[in-house]
Amino acid sequence: MNGNKHSASTSLAGIPEVAGVTHSFVDLPGLRMHVAEAGEGDPVLLLHGAPQNWWEWHEIMPELAKTHRVIAPDLRGAGWTDVPPRGYTREQLLADLVNLLDALRLDRVQLIAHDWSAFVGFQLCLRHPERVRSFLCLSVPHIYAHVRPTMIGADGLGLEAAMLSGFGGRSMKKKEQRIIRHMFHHFSADPSIWTEDRMEPFRIPNRDPRHARALTSLYRHFIGIEALRIMFGKYRSTFLTTPTRLLIGAQDRQIPAEMLVGYEGHAADLRIERPDGAAHWLPDERPDAVIEAARKLFAVT
């Protein structure tokens, strides 16, 4: 394994700056990954969702960095990381995480993951529990959820269909990127937070056609399949030992309360909180709630 870190180069053109955050590249097997870091101390790994990248943590990193070493990678095909044509599967995405931990010599981390990356986070907890001290899962149901098609709103089904078909990914590369604006506005409790300055760091990488194809592959080969695994109860034979907290926005219409039952008997320590004033985009809508939940969890694990 080549775990060499490279200083940031011109390939980071257009990347936004956050005080105290440094940028580097880490060579993993078959992937050159961009990593944003801040702070010192016990490590915290932050995993972004779609169509986002490390920038979704720009309000959270400086606060957590006061007491921890905070690491926010751009995952395969996102942000300023390589965009390979393949590898958007459960096994490869999990391997990317394990390879990153090994390359950075991180034996064990606190884990915070949002959106689709939280499902990779569950895989890390189940298969490599010794690597995860605690897990804060944002804006997705747990893997033991009793999900029925009737629970999924038309908005969510429409977005899923657009991404699986490739239409959603292709529209991302257009200059105006209306689908990104739609996703942020439509799945927010307060769309007014989505200023042009807040959205632009997500738009910049996604204008590359390779990113559009990667996002379509991610939906086809991981997100859609994982949703079916959960719907058909494929994880109900497993047991989650990692202390886990689910933070679901109170205004998140895609995750009703009845979807969040079913973990009893499958998890040693799993609790659910629903902060007000947020829908799907918790790190942007309620960074204070994420920071508070993280600090509480870190204090007991």
Side-chain angles (χ1 to χ4, degrees):
M1 176 185 301
N2 182 354
N4 294 332
K5 295 179 68 174
H6 301 270
S7 60
S9 69
T10 53
S11 61
L12 291 178
I15 201 164
E17 294 184 5
V18 178
V21 174
T22 62
H23 300 273
S24 62
F25 291 103
V26 181
D27 282 342
L28 307 180
L31 186 72
R32 190 172 190 240
M33 180 176 281
H34 162 246
V35 178
E37 292 192 52
E40 297 179 352
D42 290 337
V44 180
L45 185 64
L46 305 175
L47 306 180
H48 63 79
Q52 296 180 291
N53 51 56
W54 77 274
W55 169 252
E56 80 164 80
W57 307 108
H58 72 278
E59 292 185 86
I60 291 170
M61 290 184 74
E63 289 300 313
L64 294 184
K66 293 176 180 177
T67 52
H68 291 76
R69 177 187 176 190
V70 185
I71 302 141
D74 282 334
L75 301 173
R76 174 177 293 256
W80 285 263
T81 283
D82 279 352
V83 190
R86 291 176 294 277
Y88 303 91
T89 64
R90 178 176 66 173
E91 298 306 317
Q92 186 58 62
L93 294 166
L94 175 61
D96 289 346
L97 281 192
V98 175
N99 290 336
L100 176 64
L101 295 180
D102 290 343
L104 297 181
R105 300 180 181 178
L106 300 174
D107 293 331
R108 208 169 181 213
V109 297
Q110 307 279 11
L111 178 64
I112 305 177
H114 173 238
D115 190 67
W116 70 266
S117 71
F119 293 129
V120 188
F122 276 113
Q123 293 301 311
L124 187 65
C125 293
L126 288 175
R127 301 200 205 181
H128 303 278
E130 75 284 355
R131 307 300 295 265
V132 187
R133 193 176 300 277
S134 69
F135 180 28
L136 180 58
C137 169
L138 308 178
S139 304
V140 297
H142 53 77
I143 54 176
Y144 307 110
H146 288 283
V147 181
R148 298 187 302 274
T150 54
M151 291 181 180
I152 304 172
D155 295 337
L157 287 173
L159 177 61
E160 189 86 2
M163 291 303 180
L164 288 170
S165 70
F167 171 78
R170 289 192 301 271
S171 68
M172 292 243 182
K173 64 185 179 181
K174 296 181 179 180
K175 184 176 180 180
E176 62 274 15
Q177 293 184 312
R178 291 177 182 172
I179 192 167
I180 288 184
R181 182 186 297 273
H182 170 77
M183 291 169 70
F184 288 147
H185 283 209
H186 201 70
F187 296 99
S188 290
D190 178 12
S192 69
I193 70 166
W194 292 106
T195 63
E196 296 301 312
D197 287 345
R198 184 180 288 269
M199 287 189 288
E200 187 61 13
F202 304 129
R203 289 169 165 167
I204 290 170
N206 282 311
R207 292 189 179 112
D208 183 332
R210 296 175 304 161
H211 285 261
R213 291 191 291 270
L215 192 60
T216 297
S217 293
L218 182 66
Y219 269 83
R220 286 179 178 172
H221 300 298
F222 178 64
I223 298 174
I225 293 173
E226 197 65 12
L228 291 175
R229 288 190 186 107
I230 293 171
M231 190 175 295
F232 288 102
K234 297 298 184 180
Y235 291 109
R236 290 177 196 154
S237 62
T238 67
F239 189 79
L240 182 68
T241 59
T242 307
T244 301
R245 302 293 180 268
L246 262 66
L247 215 60
I248 310 290
Q251 283 73 48
D252 193 333
R253 295 172 295 175
Q254 304 305 311
I255 308 179
E258 57 266 31
M259 189 183 288
L260 296 174
V261 300
Y263 64 88
E264 299 83 1
H266 296 290
D269 181 8
L270 189 153
R271 304 177 198 175
I272 301 168
E273 298 179 21
R274 302 209 66 158
D276 202 11
H280 180 72
W281 310 104
L282 267 166
D284 294 280
E285 298 179 276
R286 287 292 311 276
D288 60 315
V290 176
I291 293 165
E292 180 182 3
R295 285 177 173 160
K296 286 181 179 178
L297 184 56
F298 298 169
V300 297
T301 54

